[in-house]
Amino acid sequence: MKYTQFIIAILICSVLILFCSNNLNAQNKNNIDSILSKLTLKEKIAMIHAQSKFSTPGVPRLGIPELWMSDGPHGVRAEISWDKWEHAEWTNDSITAFPALTCLAATFNPKLSKEYGISLGEEARYRKKDVLLGPGVNIYRTPLNGRNFEYMGEDPYLASKMVVPYIQGIQQNGVAACVKHYALNNQEKWRTHINVEVSDRALHEIYLPAFKAAVEKGKVWSIMSAYNQFRWQYCSHNEKLNTILKKDWNFNGVIISDWGATHNTKQSALYGLDIEMGTGTDGLTHSLKNAYDNYYMALPLLKMVESGEIEEAFIDDKVKRILGLMFKTTMNKNRSFGKMNTKEHHSTAKKIASEGIVLLKNNNSFFPIDTIKKIKIAVIGENATKKMTLGGGSSELKAQFEISPLEGIQNKFKNATVLHAMGYSSGPSIYGEIIPTEFDNKKLKKEAIEVAKKSDIILYFGGLNKNHQQDCEGDDRKSFELPFGQNELLNEILKVNQNVGVVLISGNAVETPWILKIKALIQGWYLGSITGEALAEIISGDVNPSGKLPFSFPKKLKDNSAHYYGELSYPGDSINQYYKDDILVGYRWHDTKKIKPQFAFGEGLSYTTFKISNVGANKKVYKQDDKIIITTTVTNSGDREGAEVIQVYIGKPNSKVNRALKELKAFKKVHLEKGESKTIELQLNLKDLSYYNESISNWELEKGNYTIFVGNSSQNIIKKLNIIIK
Ligand code: GLC
């Protein structure tokens, strides 16, 4: 087929697709209007609140099905009972556990995010779920937040870039993604009521961008409101937040409350909440049987509409949005049937896991460890064997299998003698409770030191876990340091053997007082079903690490922006909390205040080396609608293939407003064979350099000088370019 014929064919197809999709939307709109005209008020009210823990009723009379939801962001949660927070004990709900979203963010690879969404969406579809309650994109403000492992790090641009493909992947299966928790849920302590005070500027520049990208670029079909308050209104029915969402961003989907996050009937009706879930009914009724009728948006709202206090039009808008979501999901005849626990899903999970693992220290090429060596390897630490898909709160998973780090090492290093010692025990991971361990930690430590004495190499698998007040929903960590006596254990091990490589399994930064004494450090995330294989591939060198930190590691807690300003800034006084760090969160804080972090945002080593050269910009002077195009040559100057992440940050010297020294505005991951060079382009829109001007409640692009920082981490800038915006 000649080129022109090919182009014509493409054009015809795209016009047809456009026509069909517009036609479908028009058809659905007609269907929605026609259904709405048939619904009674009681049927409408029934549709806007739960009928069970994870479902809302349809309208059997009209053949409208129920809407079924499920957690979570890293995999489809086991079936929960109809009315109670317990597992339904089904036998067919074991799934693939994908890596936690901090790991996905650490890949800095949006393509993998799409693959993640597709695979997870297939599993949600197969489990007959219409709404998957994820991803979470709350910004990492403090390393103590119990749920940071579920989110995409400290930078709004990185989170915005990674959340969009994930949503698209989920939704192409006819399953709604539900981006959460909108907004300012940046800690678990007092999450159900704390009132967050933050400037409009920090709200728009730091805490909302990922949600905005999810709506405007990801076209997400649902959003989950957060538990907390913002300026003394609960987020579920917060006039300011939901006006931004539904008016400024034109969100045409459904706002679903977090479970028990609804507190006011009239505000829910008027300020945009569409579906009320999980309301505790203790305060509303004593019996479960009619609990759902007593939800804020159930009988109490029905009475307000019947009395004329609330116009029925507010209910109609909610129902139309819900029907719109149903036509894309449960009433969508064209959606696939989904798949679960396939080889493809396992390989996707493994690829994301190994590409997200971050190598942070590697003295004398401690890693990789050659698999042919006949050496004694000691695998020490509870995290070498502890199941990490369990616990953590609502993102808990019933994985069909979970390969532990110990199994991964044993399977990979067949020629070595692998010795194992638990070293320490944290006790069982029970949501909401701390259960003391039944192990004798003194004995465990002694055994570990004995094993360390007779080994050539020590791989220490420690970090945090999914226990209460660790990386877990419902509360925050109590300390920045490693828990369960790990620092003492590590120091004792180092006294008898210096050849130690540490692998942290965690979703948060931790204090690393032993960093100068150990040979190597890997940040391993909660990696899901294929944990052990992914770690073993990195440790053996089968895979070259290319992950980059999605958040900073402060040297000590006081170096972190949220903790610098004391209790009122974090965790607040149990009533109010003030984000006094404002726009300076994460590396924005460290770089602007010149507080060097232990490890920087965007940092990650490789087993090869890269050279960044010939950094240039397409212009020196830019006008309003120009594009900034940065080019640079990246060379793999080492002796094996690998991938590097080129990062472009922007700063504005002598700005008329307070600004961070630099802000991430573009990144690109480039894979290079040994000796290979590639010249890459990174594009920025000028409007992305704007700041949020509170005096006009809008974005403003300041003219004048800007600095472009190009490097491979927020702290490792290879070249600075000065440009001018006229
Ligand atoms: C929880 C979480 C939310 C989850 C929901 C349902 O409280 O905050 O992320 O999706 O309830 O389990």
Side-chain angles (χ1 to χ4, degrees), residues 54 71 77 147 180-181 191 224 227 258 394 473:
F54 282 90
D71 289 312
R77 190 178 187 181
R147 289 185 86 173
K180 64 189 186 180
H181 305 85
R191 66 168 174 167
M224 184 188 296
Y227 279 116
D258 201 338
S394 58
E473 177 178 340

Side-chain angles (χ1 to χ4, degrees), residues 249-508:
W249 300 347
N250 295 318
F251 174 59
N252 61 9
V254 175
I255 299 179
I256 301 171
S257 78
D258 201 338
W259 271 237
T262 307
H263 300 271
N264 183 299
T265 296
K266 194 163 186 179
Q267 287 183 13
S268 303
L270 301 179
Y271 300 150
L273 181 62
D274 297 307
I275 296 182
E276 175 184 359
M277 296 302 290
T279 298
T281 54
D282 308 357
L284 298 169
T285 172
H286 298 295
S287 84
L288 279 179
K289 71 173 169 39
N290 67 346
Y292 300 102
D293 289 342
N294 289 277
Y295 270 34
Y296 293 95
M297 292 224 290
L299 290 179
L301 180 53
L302 178 65
K303 289 192 183 100
M304 284 187 180
V305 176
E306 286 170 339
S307 68
E309 191 177 348
I310 297 281
E311 286 169 36
E312 189 163 348
F314 284 100
I315 314 305
D316 289 351
D317 180 63
K318 301 178 196 297
V319 173
K320 285 162 82 172
R321 288 169 181 271
I322 294 166
L323 288 170
L325 186 143
M326 286 179 151
F327 273 111
K328 295 175 184 127
T329 58
T330 184
M331 294 200 288
N332 168 4
K333 294 187 293 293
N334 306 318
R335 62 179 181 165
S336 67
F337 293 102
K339 305 176 206 167
M340 195 158 89
N341 297 321
T342 63
K343 284 196 314 301
E344 292 78 13
H345 292 176
H346 298 157
S347 80
T348 297
K350 185 165 140 182
K351 189 168 32 168
I352 293 161
S354 39
E355 195 165 320
I357 290 168
V358 184
L359 178 63
L360 289 171
K361 179 177 182 182
N362 195 26
N363 281 6
N364 323 317
S365 302
F366 177 91
F367 290 125
I369 299 169
D370 196 330
T371 53
I372 57 167
K373 280 184 183 170
K374 293 187 183 318
I375 51 171
K376 283 202 182 83
I377 300 175
V379 172
I380 297 175
E382 185 185 53
N383 284 357
T385 52
K386 190 174 178 75
K387 273 192 169 305
M388 294 295 192
T389 53
L390 301 176
S394 58
S395 63
E396 60 162 10
L397 293 172
K398 181 177 169 184
Q400 190 184 51
F401 62 86
E402 181 179 352
I403 301 170
S404 71
L406 177 62
E407 287 165 312
I409 298 299
Q410 287 166 332
N411 296 339
K412 180 65 75 177
F413 290 86
K414 299 275 191 216
N415 295 324
T417 305
V418 178
L419 308 172
H420 172 242
M422 195 169 167
Y424 70 92
S425 164
S426 61
S429 65
I430 304 285
Y431 179 48
E433 290 173 71
I434 290 187
I435 310 271
T437 176
E438 78 279 3
F439 286 92
D440 172 352
N441 271 323
K442 283 197 182 64
K443 184 167 167 287
L444 291 177
K445 185 193 286 189
K446 196 165 170 302
E447 288 164 357
I449 289 159
E450 287 314 307
V451 163
K453 278 178 186 166
K454 53 190 173 186
S455 300
D456 302 305
I457 282 187
I458 292 160
L459 295 177
Y460 177 82
F461 289 90
L464 304 174
N465 62 29
K466 300 288 191 68
N467 286 16
H468 180 56
Q469 293 176 343
Q470 295 300 321
D471 282 329
C472 182
E473 177 178 340
D475 204 345
D476 288 344
R477 293 162 64 196
K478 292 289 167 234
S479 153
F480 182 49
E481 65 176 27
L482 280 182
F484 319 122
Q486 292 181 71
N487 287 340
E488 297 74 21
L489 170 62
L490 260 172
N491 286 332
E492 292 300 311
I493 290 169
L494 286 158
K495 281 179 194 161
V496 301
N497 193 325
Q498 301 279 314
N499 216 14
V500 177
V502 171
V503 180
L504 291 175
I505 307 287
S506 68
N508 255 315

Side-chain angles (χ1 to χ4, degrees), residues 116-149:
Y116 193 124
I118 291 169
S119 299
L120 179 49
E122 286 174 344
E123 301 225 348
R125 177 70 193 101
Y126 190 87
R127 291 268 290 104
K128 296 188 174 27
K129 303 305 176 184
D130 308 309
V131 183
L132 184 79
L133 302 169
V137 290
N138 293 102
I139 288 294
Y140 183 117
R141 177 174 177 258
T142 161
L144 301 189
N145 176 21
R147 289 185 86 173
N148 278 330
F149 72 98

